Amino acid sequence: MARTAVLGLPRIGPERELKLGLEAYWAGSAGSAELLGTAAELRAAAWRRAAAAGIDVIPCGDFSLYDHVLDTAWALGAVPSRFGEPDRDDLDAYFALARGSAEARPLEMTKWFDTNYHYMVPELAPGQRFDPRSDHWTGPLREAAALGIAARPVLLGPYSFLRLGKGLPEPLRLLDDLVPAYERLIGELRAAGAAEVQIDEPCLVLDPGPADLDAFAEAWRALATVGVGLCLTTYFAGLQKAAIGRLGELAPDELHLDLVRAPGQLGPVLAALREEPTRLSLGVLDGRNVWAADLDAALVLLDRAAGAVGAERLTIAPSCSLLHVPYEAARERAIDPEVRPWLAFAAERLAELATLGGALEAGPERRDGLLAASRATREARRRSPSTNDPAVRERAAGLGADDYGRSRPADERRRRQRERVPLPELPTTTIGSFPQTAEIRAARRDLREGRLDEEAYERFLEARIAEVVAAQERLGLDVLVHGEAERGDMVEYFGQQLAGFAFSDGGWVQSYGSRCVKPPIIYGDVSRPGPMTVRWWRHAQSQTDRPVKGMLTGPVTILQWSFVRDDQPRQQTCVQIALAIGDEVRDLEAAGAFAIQVDEAALREGLPLQRADRDDYLRWAIDCFRLAAAPAAPETQVHTHMCYSEFNEMMEHIARLDADVLSIEASRSGMEVLDAFAGESTYPNDVGPGVYDIHSARVPETDEIERLLAIAETRIDRDRLWVNPDCGLKTRRWEEVLPALEHMVAAAHRRRAAGGQSGG
Ligand code: GLN
Ligand code: ZN
C-alpha cells in the first residue's frame, strides 16, 4: 500500500505568530522562553494538523526560527570567524548571523532557487572545520514523539549545503570533512529514535557535471552506511539523464521527485530503479502554488508508477516543502466565493494528499465517488467566465509580429525624443519612489480601515506629490518622478486595479526571517478596466515644466511576484498582463507623458534553474516587455529599471528589450558590471548605471560619485549615459535622500563641465 508524506510544513504560523514572536523578542519585550514556547506550539500544531489529515510521514527539524540553511550551518558549527566562538545555545548569537551585530555584518541573503523565499548564505573558508550538534533535530523529534508522532527529520544534504555556500573556489572538496559530520548527525538521530531521515539535495537538479555527481555519489554512499533509512529529495526541477544514471547505481532507500515541475523524469527514473528496492516518493501535488489539484492527472502518474513497481513502493507527496504556500484557503473571507474553492493552501493540500492515497488504493468504481467533489470544482473553474474573457482571448490571439516592438528603430527614436525634449548631457533622474514616510503609510492604512475617505486620501497624495516634485526641482534633477506614495507594493498596486487578480487576507508566506509576503493570486483573464496611474502622473506634471516619468511595473515582474494560474502556460498569462500595461502606456502618453518607465525588477529572478530552459524563457519574457512598451510613439521615451546587473550571459536578450533608457544597479561593484555593456556586445541604447547604493543609509560624497561616473564614461558613450541611484528610494529617509541626490547632481554637473576629459 502506498503511503503519504510531506517534505516540510509552513512555519510562520496561521496568524503569523512566529513573526510577532520574533519581533517581540528582538524588541526586548519578550524573553527567549516566550519565543521558544511559541515555536514549540507552532511545531506541535503543524504536526497535529498533518496527523489529523491522515498523513503517514510527517517532517521535523524543518521548522526554523529564521532560516533552515542558517540552522544547518549553525548545527554544523560552520560560523564565520568574525562571530568569534559563539555559544550555540545562545539565541542572540544565532540571530547575529542573520541580522548582524555591532561588531559583525550578517551573512548574505539570497533567493532560494527560483522561489520568493530567501536563505542565509553559508560562508565557508579554506580549512573549514565542522563541529556537528544534532539538537536542532533531536529536540523536535522528541516533542513529536511525545504527541505520538514518529516524525522524519529533514536535513539539507551536504552536497547542496556546499553548493549553496560561498567562499571556496571548489566547495565540493570540503565533502571529505563535511560527510563525517553528517554521519555523526544522522547517527545521533538514529540513536534518538528516528527510523528514517530525509536528506534534501535540491542542487542535484542544477545541471551537475560528472565530477559533481562523483562527489555526490561518494558522499551518499558514506551516509547510507549509518544504518537508518534515507530519503533523498530533489525538487524545483527534474533530474537529468546523467543524475538518473547515478541514482540507479546508488539505489537510495527512497527517492523523491518533483513531478509537478518535471513529470518527464518519471519514465527514465522508473526504468533506472525498477529492479532496485528504492521506494519512490512522487511529488504530484504543487507545493509552490495555490490551486486545487487535478487529482485525475496526479493519478495518471501514480497509476503508471504503481504499474511499474507496485503501489507498496510508492510515497505520495507534494512536489516540495509546503513552506511556499499559505496555511488555509478555507479561512479566506475576502476572496470572491466563486474563486475561493479553486484554491488549495497547505491545509487543503494535506486533504488532497489523503484523498489521493485513498483513490490509488480504490478500484475504478470507488474512485468516482472519491474524486467527484474535486472534479466538479475543476470543471466550474474551467468553465467560469472569469477564466474565459472572450475580449481578452481575441485580443491575444490577434497579436502579430508588429505588436511586439516599437514602430521605429532606436536611433530614430532617440533623435525624435531629443528634438521633443532637449536634455543636458548626463541627464539626472531617479528610479521612481521617494521615502515612504510613517505619515504616508498611516494614510494608506486609514483609507483601508475607513478612517479616511477617498476624497481626503486623494488630496493627501496630491500634497505629497507636490512636495516630491518641488524637492526634485530644487535639487535640479532633469527627469522627475511623482514618488509612488500611493503604492505600498509595486505589484499589489497594479493587481488591485486589474481584472483577474484576487487578494487574500491571510495568504502570507515567509520571505525571510520574520518577513512575509502576500502575493496576489492571478486566477482569471487579465485586463485593465481603466487607467491606473494617470491621475497621479497628471498631478505631478501639473506642478512642473520638467518632464515627469510615468511609472509602471512590467508584466514579467507582476507575473513573477504573484501566484499564477496553472490552467494555461505562464507565458500566456504574461501576454495578457503585458496588454494591460500597454494600455496604461497608451493612456499616459495620451495624457502627455514624455517618459514612461516600465520596471522589470524580477525579470532575472524568473530564469529557469536549468540552462537548457533559459533561452526560451528569456525570449518570451522579453517579448512580453516589448509588447507592453510597443504602444509608445517614437517621441515617447521608454525607460526600464532592473535592480541587478549580472547580465553576462544574457546581454543579447537585454539588448532586445529595446528600452530607450535602461537603469541598473552598478555602484556596489564600482561600475565593474558595465563591462558587459562595453566590448563586443555593445548595448545600443542609453544606460543609467546606479551611482550610489540605496540599501545603505550612508550618504555618498560628490567626489565618490564623480569617480564612478568617470569610470562609467570609459565603458558607455557619454551621450548615452544617465545618472541615477541604484534603485528606488522608498526605504530611505528624507534626511539621507536629499544630500545624496544633491551630491549626485553636483557630480553630474562636474562631469558635464569636464566635457569628457578623464580624471575629475
Ligand atoms: N520604481 C520602483 C521604485 O523606485 C522600482 C523598484 C524596484 O526596482 N524594485 O521603487
Ligand atoms: Zn530596483
Side-chain angles (χ1 to χ4, degrees):
M1 188 174 141
R3 63 180 192 173
T4 51
V6 182
L7 308 191
L9 291 162
R11 53 203 189 198
I12 201 73
E15 306 290 343
R16 286 182 292 161
E17 291 88 341
L18 179 60
K19 175 193 177 64
L20 301 177
L22 285 168
E23 285 170 356
Y25 177 75
W26 292 332
S29 58
S32 60
E34 227 171 312
L35 176 59
L36 296 175
T38 302
E41 275 166 31
L42 287 172
R43 286 193 290 265
W47 290 325
R48 281 203 201 91
R49 277 191 293 271
I55 306 306
D56 300 315
V57 182
I58 295 173
C60 74
D62 58 321
F63 183 88
S64 175
L65 285 174
Y66 202 94
D67 164 50
H68 55 274
V69 182
L70 175 62
D71 293 343
T72 311
W74 190 248
L76 290 165
V79 176
S81 57
R82 66 176 176 283
F83 295 98
E85 296 259 318
D87 167 3
R88 279 189 272 159
D89 290 317
D90 179 357
L91 263 186
D92 293 329
Y94 166 84
F95 286 129
L97 267 72
R99 310 174 71 231
S101 67
E103 303 83 44
R105 68 187 153 79
L107 301 188
E108 270 175 35
M109 187 172 71
T110 194
K111 274 167 66 73
W112 176 243
F113 298 85
D114 57 354
T115 71
N116 288 327
Y117 176 79
H118 300 76
Y119 75 94
M120 305 307 300
V121 181
E123 283 174 35
L124 304 165
Q128 179 75 50
R129 304 277 291 275
F130 300 103
D131 173 19
R133 267 188 54 171
S134 58
D135 49 342
H136 174 78
W137 295 273
T138 50
L141 191 64
R142 295 198 182 94
E143 290 167 26
L147 298 174
I149 295 168
R152 177 166 80 177
V154 181
L155 271 74
L156 178 62
Y159 175 81
S160 296
F161 178 75
L162 293 177
R163 291 282 311 262
L164 293 169
K166 62 170 263 186
L168 293 176
E170 291 178 271
L172 295 183
R173 296 180 73 162
L174 215 55
L175 274 174
D176 285 345
D177 299 309
L178 182 56
V179 168
Y182 269 83
E183 286 177 53
R184 235 181 84 191
L185 280 181
I186 296 171
E188 289 176 20
L189 295 182
R190 190 176 74 150
E196 50 184 312
V197 173
Q198 173 184 324
I199 307 285
D200 285 0
E201 289 285 15
C203 288
L204 267 190
V205 303
L206 304 180
D207 299 305
D212 298 328
L213 291 174
D214 286 345
F216 167 77
E218 200 187 319
W220 187 264
R221 282 204 185 90
L223 301 188
T225 61
V226 179
V228 56
L230 297 184
C231 175
L232 170 59
T233 52
T234 62
Y235 39 82
F236 299 152
L239 288 163
Q240 291 146 317
K241 204 165 148 226
I244 293 174
R246 283 311 174 83
L247 292 172
E249 294 158 18
L250 285 177
D253 300 312
E254 182 167 10
L255 172 64
H256 175 84
L257 307 172
D258 181 339
L259 294 182
V260 173
R261 276 289 175 90
Q265 61 183 325
L266 180 60
V269 167
L270 286 173
L273 286 162
R274 191 185 309 254
E275 306 304 327
E276 306 296 338
T278 299
R279 176 186 270 280
L280 293 176
S281 169
L282 304 183
V284 290
L285 296 176
D286 200 338
R288 295 192 37 183
N289 211 336
V290 293
W291 305 102
D294 179 346
L295 297 180
D296 284 295
L299 279 165
V300 169
L301 295 171
L302 293 171
D303 283 336
R304 181 168 159 214
V309 302
E312 63 290 345
R313 264 178 61 191
L314 300 185
T315 301
I316 312 170
S319 56
C320 59
S321 166
L322 296 177
L323 174 65
H324 309 289
V325 291
Y327 274 82
E328 188 174 7
R331 300 196 321 163
E332 288 299 325
R333 294 291 163 264
I335 294 178
D336 183 334
E338 187 200 358
V339 174
R340 219 229 5 94
W342 303 350
L343 299 173
F345 296 174
E348 288 82 7
R349 277 286 174 266
L350 297 180
E352 288 178 343
L353 210 50
T355 305
L356 274 181
L360 185 63
E361 285 300 306
E365 341 64 61
R366 276 195 46 232
R367 269 193 191 179
D368 283 343
L370 287 170
L371 300 178
S374 147
R375 284 177 185 159
T377 306
R378 294 285 299 187
E379 190 54 17
R381 180 178 165 205
R382 197 176 65 76
R383 303 209 331 206
S384 163
S386 330
T387 57
N388 301 279
D389 180 337
V392 174
R393 303 217 148 227
E394 262 163 48
R395 199 172 167 204
L399 290 171
D402 283 355
D403 297 304
Y404 284 93
R406 307 284 294 278
S407 61
R408 309 300 309 162
D411 47 351
E412 179 185 336
R413 297 198 310 261
R414 182 196 306 198
R415 191 166 33 72
R416 288 164 69 168
Q417 288 160 22
R418 290 185 179 195
E419 272 165 33
R420 178 175 168 195
V421 177
L423 289 169
E425 238 186 354
L426 303 174
T428 54
T429 190
T430 62
I431 305 303
S433 56
F434 269 76
Q436 291 254 338
T437 58
E439 189 197 15
I440 290 175
R441 287 197 301 268
R444 272 203 308 267
R445 198 172 333 114
D446 287 347
L447 174 77
R448 221 171 32 238
E449 290 167 10
R451 284 185 299 273
L452 197 65
D453 64 24
E454 283 285 345
E455 187 65 31
Y457 178 67
E458 208 154 307
R459 295 293 87 76
F460 171 81
L461 285 180
E462 285 173 359
R464 300 293 77 71
I465 290 172
E467 277 168 14
V468 166
V469 169
Q472 294 173 91
E473 283 204 323
R474 275 197 303 274
L475 287 161
L477 288 154
D478 299 306
V479 175
L480 313 191
V481 296
H482 77 286
E484 302 182 24
E486 77 287 3
R487 300 178 199 178
D489 178 280
M490 66 189 282
V491 168
E492 184 182 60
Y493 179 75
F494 290 93
Q496 277 169 340
Q497 301 185 74
L498 291 168
F501 282 73
F503 292 84
S504 65
D505 11 63
W508 296 99
V509 289
Q510 193 176 20
S511 170
Y512 64 87
S514 62
R515 294 286 274 268
C516 302
V517 293
K518 188 149 66 71
I521 298 169
I522 307 178
Y523 65 88
D525 284 341
V526 176
S527 60
R528 190 200 65 145
M532 304 183 282
T533 62
V534 176
R535 59 178 165 158
W536 309 126
W537 175 84
R538 209 190 284 279
H539 186 74
Q541 189 66 82
S542 75
Q543 309 286 308
T544 177
D545 295 330
R546 302 191 178 210
V548 176
K549 274 193 280 194
M551 200 54 64
L552 307 175
T553 301
V556 185
T557 300
I558 293 180
L559 189 82
Q560 195 59 30
W561 289 344
S562 300
F563 285 120
V564 180
R565 64 192 287 188
D566 65 347
D567 55 351
Q568 65 183 21
R570 283 170 76 83
Q571 167 179 6
Q572 211 168 313
T573 303
C574 201
V575 164
Q576 296 181 356
I577 304 170
L579 286 169
I581 298 297
D583 289 343
E584 188 73 7
V585 167
R586 204 175 272 114
D587 281 347
L588 280 168
E589 181 178 272
F594 162 68
I596 300 171
Q597 180 168 310
V598 181
D599 289 324
E600 284 293 16
L603 184 100
R604 202 172 178 286
E605 289 184 21
L607 269 183
L609 296 171
Q610 295 180 344
R611 273 192 293 273
D613 303 327
R614 290 189 191 151
D615 276 338
D616 183 51
Y617 160 77
L618 284 168
R619 249 189 306 276
W620 68 251
I622 286 168
D623 278 345
C624 286
F625 175 87
R626 291 171 61 98
L627 181 61
E635 295 77 14
T636 302
Q637 190 169 63
V638 174
H639 294 230
T640 189
H641 165 71
M642 301 183 183
C643 312
Y644 45 83
S645 40
E646 308 93 66
F647 296 131
N648 293 324
E649 280 166 28
M650 50 192 275
M651 218 40 221
E652 54 190 294
H653 295 285
I654 296 301
R656 221 167 60 79
L657 283 170
D658 197 29
D660 298 306
V661 185
L662 164 66
S663 62
I664 55 173
E665 184 274 325
S667 71
R668 278 182 286 190
S669 72
M671 299 282 148
E672 233 170 65
V673 296
L674 287 181
D675 289 348
F677 287 77
E680 270 171 46
S681 57
T682 306
Y683 179 77
N685 303 352
D686 290 12
V687 183
V691 295
Y692 82 87
D693 179 10
I694 58 89
H695 299 96
S696 152
R698 201 177 72 86
V699 173
E701 293 306 329
T702 307
D703 286 348
E704 206 179 313
I705 299 179
E706 199 187 348
R707 265 196 303 280
L708 289 178
L709 283 174
I711 299 173
E713 286 174 44
T714 65
R715 311 287 208 283
I716 311 266
D717 291 343
R718 233 177 123 75
D719 68 332
R720 296 193 291 119
L721 197 57
W722 286 64
V723 181
N724 46 256
D726 268 344
C727 194
L729 304 169
K730 68 173 168 213
T731 56
R732 296 266 66 91
R733 295 174 310 137
W734 276 105
E735 301 87 273
E736 297 148 9
V737 162
L738 288 176
L741 290 177
E742 193 180 306
H743 296 171
M744 183 185 90
V745 172
H749 284 189
R750 286 200 208 157
R751 289 309 304 165
R752 283 176 201 164
Q757 301 303 304
S758 60

